[in-house]
Amino acid sequence: MNLLVTGGAGFIGANFVHQAVAEHSVTVLDALTYAGSRESLAPVEDDIRLVQGDVTDADLVTKLVAEADAVVHFAAETHVDNALADPEPFLRSNVIGTFTILEAVRRHGVRLHHVSTDEVYGDLELDSPQRFTESTPYNPSSPYSSTKAAADMLVRAWVRSYGVRATISNCSNNYGPYQHVEKFIPRQITNILTGRRPKLYGSGANVRDWIHVEDHNGAVWRILADGQLGRTYLIGAAGERDNLSVMRTILVLMGRDPDDFDHVVDRAGHDLRYAIDPSPLCAELGWAPKHTDFEAGLHDTIDWYRDNQSWWGPLKDAVEAVYQERGQ
Ligand code: NAD
Ligand code: TDX
């Protein structure tokens, strides 16, 4: 297949492209914002075409979509704290960007897979047995998640009104190599590696449902190959953990005292808990996660950051300066 991968120079997109080149011809469309990097695609740079451009550029998007058999749409602004500080780029990239992709796939009849997040469902009580399912009502809390929810709604409407051939996936929190150091797990690992103290928002009781990025991408492949058009699939790997225990696990795995971190200002509107019920994906598409040992996955991720300081080192000081201004 000729695959067009938007946001392929970001965390999940780059990991996806690393796998995709074995069997497909891949074009990456990426604006190379602060979150995207050519270095993330260095292992496959001779096997792909990298187009630096914006998903809101209708002429460019239409031209690239016309050449593709399928589009996998990862491109987005993704960091909740950045959205709280300045929502405008999230509206542009996530909403207008998805609209632009939809119009192009509509015009050329090209298959689309739209990558989204469990944050569109809002949050769950800490002590409830509930998990998100395909029929959980959308109830986004943050500027970020509201723009992802808007994008999902556009995809659903374009499927129904225009017969666009699309699927949607809503995945839980990813971890693994090539994740930007602004995000929770890489931030703590690289804080320790640079002699800073790790930073926990509030009490750390908030729960996230962690999945290894390879498992997320494995599910995207299954949906792209055999997913039912028009359907939404939830992706999760039974990885619920509160932030405090993830923090303490990172510290212990890195040979530190588990209490050697700072509590900092909590995130405004901080979602309490996310949890995914992935059973339709498992039952209908035969998907199962491979990275079922979270500590082992975290251990490998710590090793990756230790071995790849040249990838994240140049970003670290600027990211921490922004956090410091926000008291985080
Ligand atoms: P990321 O921030 O690491 O990468 C995003 C990429 O998109 C970057 O390479 C950036 O340059 C590119 N981009 C941003 N705006 C663009 C624009 N206007 N035009 C072209 N390219 C643009 O994000 P990620 O964590 O890899 O997330 C990828 C997708 O997966 C997003 O849609 C996100 O909502 C979704 N998602 C992420 C997670 C997670 O835990 N990280 C979980 C569920 C869903
Ligand atoms: O330094 C920190 N300390 C801290 O306690 C940071 C950066 C975060 N946190 C907390 C906030 C969250 O409860 O850790 C948790 C995870 O934070 P993030 O890594 O910012 O992820 P989250 O807000 O949960 O969103 C992520 O998962 C869903 C991605 O960034 C989204 O793009 C994805 O849609």
Side-chain angles (χ1 to χ4, degrees):
M1 264 199 298
N2 286 318
L3 273 185
L4 177 62
V5 181
T6 74
F11 163 44
I12 306 172
N15 279 284
F16 182 86
V17 170
H18 294 173
Q19 283 187 316
V21 292
E23 290 181 34
H24 303 282
S25 163
V26 177
T27 298
V28 169
L29 172 61
D30 198 297
L32 298 177
T33 69
Y34 82 92
S37 119
R38 282 180 195 279
E39 287 74 52
S40 301
L41 292 169
V44 293
E45 65 186 347
D46 296 334
D47 307 317
I48 62 165
R49 173 169 62 142
L50 172 58
V51 178
Q52 181 171 3
D54 204 290
V55 286
T56 61
D57 179 342
D59 290 341
L60 176 62
V61 166
T62 305
K63 174 177 162 291
L64 295 175
V65 165
E67 298 164 5
D69 300 310
V71 180
V72 186
H73 178 39
F74 291 99
E77 288 289 338
T78 63
H79 195 39
V80 173
D81 297 317
N82 292 346
L84 288 163
D86 180 12
E88 194 277 337
F90 291 71
L91 271 292
R92 209 179 48 76
S93 292
N94 302 2
V95 183
I96 304 299
T98 302
F99 161 72
T100 309
I101 296 283
L102 282 166
E103 285 292 83
V105 297
R106 170 160 87 100
R107 180 178 304 174
H108 294 288
V110 173
R111 168 84 167 90
L112 169 68
H113 181 71
H114 171 68
V115 178
S116 190
T117 169
D118 59 357
E119 299 194 20
V120 299
Y121 298 111
D123 60 356
L124 300 163
E125 293 298 325
L126 287 179
D127 50 3
S128 97
Q130 244 187 320
R131 294 189 293 169
F132 299 134
T133 70
E134 275 166 87
S135 50
T136 303
Y138 273 40
N139 187 27
S141 322
S142 73
Y144 162 69
S145 55
S146 59
T147 61
K148 292 297 292 186
D152 294 7
M153 293 299 175
L154 295 179
V155 177
R156 290 178 181 199
W158 262 242
V159 167
R160 171 136 176 194
S161 301
Y162 302 120
V164 159
R165 294 186 300 127
T167 42
I168 300 175
S169 56
N170 297 83
C171 187
S172 60
N173 283 63
N174 286 220
Y175 73 98
Y178 297 100
Q179 186 168 29
H180 197 278
V181 293
E182 69 189 352
K183 303 296 198 302
F184 178 58
I185 288 178
R187 184 181 184 206
Q188 312 316 332
I189 296 170
T190 56
N191 273 4
I192 295 167
L193 292 175
T194 55
R196 296 170 166 97
R197 281 168 70 83
K199 309 288 184 208
L200 188 68
Y201 293 177
S203 69
N206 308 64
V207 171
R208 296 295 181 264
D209 190 355
W210 293 99
I211 182 172
H212 195 280
V213 63
E214 279 176 16
D215 286 328
H216 179 182
N217 283 331
V220 170
W221 281 117
R222 289 296 305 121
I223 297 164
L224 197 57
D226 292 319
Q228 192 187 329
L229 296 178
R231 270 284 289 281
T232 287
Y233 294 90
L234 272 65
I235 307 173
E240 279 189 73
R241 296 246 172 349
D242 64 59
N243 293 341
L244 175 61
S245 38
V246 175
M247 177 70 91
R248 292 171 68 99
T249 306
I250 292 170
L251 280 156
V252 170
L253 286 172
M254 296 183 75
R256 302 298 163 110
D257 182 321
D259 293 321
D260 198 9
F261 65 87
D262 295 330
H263 288 276
V264 292
V265 178
D266 206 355
R267 175 180 283 172
H270 199 171
D271 278 341
L272 284 176
R273 171 175 164 254
Y274 307 136
I276 292 273
D277 174 3
S279 42
L281 174 70
C282 304
E284 293 170 35
L285 298 183
W287 174 83
K290 295 194 172 105
H291 296 267
T292 49
D293 181 340
F294 179 67
E295 283 202 18
L298 212 43
H299 181 273
D300 291 349
T301 303
I302 291 167
D303 281 351
W304 189 87
Y305 281 91
R306 206 177 258 131
D307 295 344
N308 289 277
Q309 191 134 359
S310 60
W311 181 84
W312 57 265
L315 312 171
K316 182 69 183 168
D317 287 351
V319 168
E320 287 307 316
V322 172
Y323 274 124
Q324 202 170 359
E325 269 173 40
R326 297 177 189 157
Q328 293 183 315

